[in-house]
Amino acid sequence: MAYLYVELQEFEKAIDFQSSALRISRDTQDGTLVVDHIGRMGDIYWFSSREEQAVEYYEHALTSARQNNDPYQEAQSLSDLGHVYQIQEGNHPPK
């Protein structure tokens, strides 16, 4: 649902919805789900051109993935961070 709000460029609604999802996932104590929702928060901030907040969430996702010993989510978080840094340096990925 949050990504629908992103598509509509209603970023604050997307953040509110994703924040609720993150809270619920933390209550379940499902580490994989928590990391996924943290990364999605980073995505929303990235799409709303708030790079600093995106990086904070991606770094948090990376730390959590490492704590969970989850190599897939660790790789995803590193990829997300790499993409942000690449764009910040003016090096756009090939199409």
Side-chain angles (χ1 to χ4, degrees), residues 28-57:
T28 67
Q29 297 181 352
D30 181 339
T32 300
L33 191 59
V34 171
V35 174
D36 185 54
H37 286 296
I38 294 168
R40 289 178 189 215
M41 285 293 292
D43 293 344
I44 294 167
Y45 281 111
W46 171 253
F47 291 128
S48 65
S49 299
R50 294 185 254 183
E51 294 173 5
E52 288 182 24
Q53 289 95 335
V55 167
E56 288 175 19
Y57 275 96

Side-chain angles (χ1 to χ4, degrees), residues 9-82:
Q9 295 189 2
E10 294 185 27
F11 298 112
E12 294 310 313
K13 286 183 181 179
I15 290 167
D16 289 343
F17 192 88
Q18 192 61 41
S19 293
S20 295
L22 178 56
R23 277 192 299 278
I24 291 167
S25 67
R26 284 185 172 139
D27 288 344
T28 67
Q29 297 181 352
D30 181 339
T32 300
L33 191 59
V34 171
V35 174
D36 185 54
H37 286 296
I38 294 168
R40 289 178 189 215
M41 285 293 292
D43 293 344
I44 294 167
Y45 281 111
W46 171 253
F47 291 128
S48 65
S49 299
R50 294 185 254 183
E51 294 173 5
E52 288 182 24
Q53 289 95 335
V55 167
E56 288 175 19
Y57 275 96
Y58 291 149
E59 287 176 345
H60 184 50
L62 176 61
T63 299
S64 296
R66 286 178 173 163
Q67 289 172 345
N68 294 339
N69 296 314
D70 187 328
Y72 171 78
Q73 288 189 313
E74 181 178 353
Q76 181 62 52
S77 299
L78 287 168
S79 176
D80 292 337
L81 283 166

